[in-house]
Amino acid sequence: MDGTTDEGRGTMGRRAVAALGVLAALSVVVALPGVAPGTGTALSLVVNAGAFALAVVGVRRHRPVLPQAWVAVLALLATGVATAAASLLSRTGDGSTRWSVVAVQVVALVLVPFVVRTLRRGAGSDRRTWPDVVLTATAGALVVAQVLGMLRATGLADDPAVLIGTAADIVLAIVLLRILTTRTGVAPVTTLVLLAAGVLLAIAALGTARADLLDGSRHLVHGVQGLAMVLLAAAALHPSMRLFGTPCAGGVLRGDGQRLLSVLPVFCTVPLLWLLGSVHVLPDVAVEVVAPSGYVLACAGVGWAALSVRRAERSAERDPLTDLVNRRGLPLAAEELRRRLHGRDLHLCLVDLDDFKQINDTRGHAVGDALLVEVAGRLRQAVGQHGVVSRTGGDEFIVVVWTPEDHDEGPADLLLEALDAPFEFHRLPYRVSASIGIAPLRAGVAFEEALVDADIAMYAAKQAGKGRALVYRPQLREKVLGGLVMQQELRSLLLQGGHREDVGELVVVHQPVVDLVDGVTPRIVGVEALVRWEHPRAGLLTPDQFLQHAEDAGLGARLDEHVTTRALRDLAHWDAAGVGGLHLAVNLGIGSLHRQGMGRWISDLAARQGIEPGRVHLEITEHEELPDDPRIAASLREVVAAGFHLDLDDFGIGYTSLSYMRRFPVSTVKLDRSLTTLATGGDTSLLEGIAALCRALDMDILAEGVERAEQVAPLRALGVRRAQGHLFGTAMAAADVPGFVRRTGLAAGDPAGDSAGDSALAS
């Protein structure tokens, strides 16, 4: 829609507000006692007809989600028009006013189902509010008894108009009490409709108590009824009217304490009626009704308060998402389980979902919460009556279970099998694995002690590759605690500048990369930077021994930055030493890929050392599953656009290779050594297929792990452009690279290197 249309809509809204103001003013005029009866009745018809017309405009303008609700509202407004017209035609007060009020009351009941629909917020909400329903219904029943007593005392019980109107009043009163005592933050449309219902209820209740007002003070009835119709028209014109009759318009459920306080007026209803009767504002109220009424309401209130306290106590021991017991309630639940199983020995299993954060980050917390609820259900079903399941926070569950000794499945098999089948949400399958630590929970063993042992076993299961269960053994404690110590040492190395004698030193070494295509003899065209940790006690550690600890400690990105900085500095030193033109490959772990502004910090590092981005290859690891996160793909496209190359490392040993080639701007595929060895085998069809795929995608191939000279010719024939391995040189210190290049004569751009290269390869 263009701006003119929007402006037109705004003008229509201002005109509607002005019209509502005029109708409200006319309603006040109608209610004044000094207005001539004929004039007042005519103005009442104008008010009702105007409200009906404005409501039709509002319905056509906003197009409600539930049209049936607004058919009911328009029917009520049409009834108001009809009763106003009937009053104008009537010349006497022979009861027509009374029946017109009753007609409006009865038609107003049609709105009740739609108002009740706004209160529905799911099964949990309904369970929480059933005491409110009981208490409101109890109060309503007592009011009915009270009113019937008043009607009998005044002789109005035989008047059908009074009986029908009273019944409608009671239903409307119960609905209003239900909303006022349980809900807050309702939509404006619901507030306006309820306000209109309250106005109708007030005039009807007054008419029931003082029937003479309906005939002797018709102007008051017509004026107040007109105000109710104006409120309904205002509800139809408000934009929130689209949601009327849906749970979105019903606000939120109050807390137990708020609901208990807001229901206090209900307790005062019957005593108030008795008080009004005692001062002769209302007819006499039977004392025999007041005493039991107050007693029943008091008992209901005390019962509700007790239920609220019990619910609060229970919620303190329950997880709000899954309704499982939490860490606070688990020890008591475990003791109850032991008593039920006659003191048998139990197992305490700590279940930690693997890589669950990736689901929250890539699919959203709604899917993550749904998965947690489904996992809770599967674990609970797996243990049945022989166990208790607890969620202690995040993606961690604790299961206390007993399994018979002669049973085929132990607790590990039981729990892993429960999570084996894929989960499905929005027609998409999700695989969820878990690392499980198991510790015996025998009689006399403290619960917290067993929990610590299970925690250690769970960490060991994660270190062993995830998706498995381990039973606690004393040896695991040393292994896990050693990993935690290693994380602390890495933190000291990368963040705090720890002393070398305490935490050692991170060393960057370089392995040569050669060109297989350009010339007969391979030439060195670059190096891959690799990190080693010279540990003061454990000796020289390879990346396999500490990289995962760095990622677990949240230091993966910091480690990559450290290695990249050192490697770029080395490359600049080689250029200054006369060994120029080499390219540099550095690895990026998952921590770096999640880092904000990844492309910026890499570009800044290269610019600081005067290195052109085209000489730098950034490697992502194929066997490390990356989430399908658009932000990661965007960051990688950003670094490629800046001139850097993107290589796919360890191709062939994971399960996401083709997905990576599609999602990320990869320029080079690095064959894992397990594929390189096939070059000298009898069947090279797999390598030929990979080569054809890379040609189709315009990607280069680099072979890793080349160790024998006879592998070179077959790889070259397949179109492999570059290679690295022990045949061409092992990883070496940065200071040794220039000498190695000069000694072997394999440097890129060195025309004298061909003959020297033959001897180097032969050796």
Side-chain angles (χ1 to χ4, degrees):
M1 303 295 289
D2 58 20
T4 303
T5 304
D6 291 339
E7 184 180 355
R9 287 188 172 185
T11 303
M12 182 186 296
R14 287 191 293 271
R15 290 176 179 173
V17 170
L20 287 172
V22 170
L23 294 179
L26 291 178
S27 299
V28 174
V29 171
V30 171
L32 296 176
V35 180
T39 303
T41 307
L43 290 177
S44 175
L45 179 59
V46 171
V47 170
N48 282 271
F52 179 83
L54 289 176
V56 171
V57 171
V59 171
R60 294 188 61 183
R61 179 184 182 191
H62 296 299
R63 299 184 182 277
V65 174
L66 199 66
Q68 304 94 311
W70 289 98
V71 170
V73 173
L74 292 177
L76 178 57
L77 289 164
T79 304
V81 174
T83 56
S87 296
L88 183 62
L89 296 175
S90 174
R91 299 294 183 181
T92 63
D94 56 358
S96 60
T97 303
R98 183 178 306 172
W99 279 107
S100 68
V101 172
V102 171
V104 172
Q105 288 175 274
V106 172
V107 176
L109 294 179
V110 181
L111 293 177
V112 170
F114 300 104
V115 174
V116 172
R117 282 188 57 165
T118 67
L119 304 180
R120 299 190 60 81
R121 281 283 183 177
S125 175
D126 291 344
R127 286 197 301 269
R128 287 178 58 194
T129 58
W130 72 263
D132 311 334
V133 177
V134 172
L135 186 57
T136 306
T138 302
L142 295 173
V143 171
V144 169
Q146 197 74 281
V147 170
L148 287 177
M150 293 189 326
L151 294 178
R152 284 196 302 269
T154 57
L156 294 175
D158 297 329
D159 190 335
V162 172
L163 289 177
I164 296 173
T166 301
D169 291 344
I170 291 172
V171 173
L172 288 174
I174 291 175
V175 172
L176 287 173
L177 283 173
R178 174 96 165 97
I179 294 177
L180 293 174
T181 58
T182 62
R183 296 282 162 167
T184 184
V186 296
V189 63
T190 306
T191 302
L192 290 169
V193 171
L194 294 179
L195 191 56
V199 172
L200 291 175
L201 178 62
I203 189 63
L206 186 59
T208 300
R210 298 287 303 274
D212 57 304
L213 289 178
L214 294 177
D215 294 324
S217 302
R218 299 171 64 182
H219 59 89
L220 178 62
V221 174
H222 292 158
V224 175
Q225 181 177 302
L227 284 175
M229 300 305 170
V230 172
L231 288 170
L232 291 175
L237 289 168
H238 196 276
S240 65
M241 64 85 66
R242 296 189 68 254
L243 304 175
F244 180 64
T246 68
C248 296
V252 295
L253 189 66
R254 296 176 187 266
D256 285 346
Q258 288 180 310
R259 298 207 311 277
L260 187 58
L261 289 174
S262 62
V263 85
L264 284 177
V266 175
F267 295 96
C268 304
T269 303
V270 174
L272 178 62
L273 290 175
W274 178 81
L275 177 62
L276 293 175
S278 65
V279 296
H280 306 294
V281 174
L282 296 180
D284 292 338
V285 180
V287 176
E288 62 270 15
V289 177
V290 174
S293 299
Y295 179 76
V296 171
L297 282 174
C299 290
V302 171
W304 186 22
L307 285 172
S308 297
V309 171
R310 175 64 190 123
R311 188 156 51 228
E313 292 173 345
R314 187 178 186 275
S315 64
E317 299 175 354
R318 290 276 167 176
D319 172 51
L321 178 63
T322 61
D323 199 38
L324 299 173
V325 292
N326 57 20
R327 178 75 63 90
R328 177 180 176 179
L330 181 59
L332 292 177
E335 285 302 316
E336 174 62 27
L337 176 66
R338 189 189 298 277
R339 284 194 296 271
R340 198 167 67 243
L341 296 175
H342 309 292
R344 289 188 173 96
D345 290 336
L346 306 173
H347 287 95
L348 190 152
C349 310
L350 186 60
V351 181
D352 190 89
L353 304 184
D354 297 325
D355 304 318
F356 184 77
K357 184 177 183 297
Q358 294 184 9
I359 295 178
N360 274 338
D361 291 344
T362 59
R363 303 299 181 188
H365 287 273
V367 171
D369 288 348
L371 274 172
L372 291 173
V373 172
E374 181 69 18
V375 168
R378 289 195 188 184
L379 294 177
R380 190 158 37 189
Q381 184 178 8
V383 302
Q385 296 299 315
H386 292 160
V388 59
V389 182
S390 166
R391 177 174 177 246
T392 57
D395 56 359
E396 188 176 88
F397 296 83
I398 297 177
V399 180
V400 178
V401 63
W402 170 74
T403 54
E405 294 181 359
D406 57 348
H407 201 271
D408 293 336
E409 289 186 329
D413 299 326
L414 195 70
L415 300 178
L416 289 173
E417 184 179 338
L419 303 177
D420 186 53
F423 298 80
E424 185 172 323
F425 297 97
H426 305 299
R427 299 184 180 179
L428 293 175
Y430 294 88
R431 285 279 181 183
V432 175
S433 65
S435 299
I436 303 176
I438 303 174
L441 186 60
R442 301 185 180 93
V445 175
F447 183 86
E448 291 299 327
E449 181 182 341
L451 183 58
V452 170
D453 292 344
D455 202 19
I456 289 173
M458 184 272 292
Y459 272 109
K462 281 194 177 295
Q463 293 177 3
K466 304 179 181 179
R468 65 193 68 199
L470 290 179
V471 179
Y472 171 77
R473 304 188 309 275
Q475 298 88 334
L476 294 180
R477 182 182 295 273
E478 298 178 7
K479 181 179 179 181
V480 169
L481 293 181
L484 295 177
V485 170
M486 187 172 288
Q487 290 183 22
Q488 183 58 41
E489 291 174 336
L490 284 168
R491 192 172 287 108
S492 178
L493 264 174
L494 295 169
L495 301 180
Q496 301 166 3
H499 297 293
R500 180 173 180 177
E501 58 271 17
D502 296 329
V503 295
E505 183 182 11
L506 293 173
V507 178
V508 176
V509 296
H510 303 273
Q511 184 175 27
V513 175
V514 302
D515 189 329
L516 297 181
V517 177
D518 190 11
V520 177
T521 303
R523 298 177 179 274
I524 293 180
V525 293
V527 295
E528 179 181 3
L530 305 169
V531 64
R532 303 288 186 264
W533 185 1
E534 289 186 353
H535 196 276
R537 293 175 297 279
L540 189 65
L541 301 179
T542 60
D544 291 343
Q545 296 173 285
F546 64 87
L547 279 184
Q548 188 57 50
H549 292 299
E551 292 289 355
D552 291 342
L555 299 170
R558 198 60 177 262
L559 178 61
D560 290 346
E561 184 176 355
H562 176 85
V563 173
T564 304
T565 301
R566 296 283 296 274
L568 287 170
R569 187 183 305 156
D570 292 339
L571 188 60
H573 288 165
W574 300 333
D575 289 347
V579 183
L582 297 178
H583 73 242
L584 173 70
V586 292
N587 291 275
L588 296 180
I590 193 168
S592 291
L593 297 179
H594 280 294
R595 177 174 174 175
Q596 293 290 331
M598 178 182 66
R600 183 174 59 256
W601 70 260
I602 292 176
S603 297
D604 290 345
L605 290 178
R608 200 173 303 153
Q609 299 299 330
I611 304 299
E612 292 294 328
R615 297 175 61 189
V616 181
H617 289 248
L618 306 174
E619 298 185 359
I620 58 174
T621 306
E622 192 273 339
H623 64 77
E624 186 171 52
E625 184 180 7
L626 296 179
D628 190 8
D629 189 342
R631 292 172 296 183
I632 293 179
S635 294
L636 292 176
R637 285 193 295 269
E638 179 184 344
V639 297
V640 170
F644 297 92
H645 300 278
L646 184 64
D647 295 357
L648 182 57
D649 197 11
D650 298 327
F651 183 91
I653 64 172
Y655 48 88
T656 57
S657 305
L658 297 181
S659 171
Y660 280 22
M661 297 167 78
R662 174 183 60 83
R663 286 157 48 193
F664 305 131
V666 175
S667 60
T668 300
V669 170
K670 298 184 68 172
L671 295 180
D672 185 72
R673 63 178 62 248
S674 61
L675 292 178
T676 301
T677 57
L678 300 177
T680 55
D683 185 7
T684 60
S685 56
L686 178 59
L687 287 177
E688 291 171 357
I690 294 173
L693 175 64
C694 290
R695 283 194 298 272
L697 296 176
D698 194 25
M699 295 179 183
D700 292 336
I701 305 177
L702 185 153
E704 296 181 296
V706 179
E707 299 180 352
R708 301 193 306 275
E710 57 266 27
Q711 292 176 295
V712 175
L715 289 172
R716 181 182 283 149
L718 287 169
V720 177
R721 295 191 59 85
R722 287 174 288 150
Q724 66 185 94
H726 290 176
L727 178 64
F728 311 114
T730 59
M732 63 192 74
D736 297 333
V737 170
F740 177 82
V741 171
R742 295 190 183 99
R743 185 170 61 254
T744 58
L746 297 177
D750 183 357
D754 290 349
S755 60
D758 293 333
S759 62
L761 290 175
S763 63

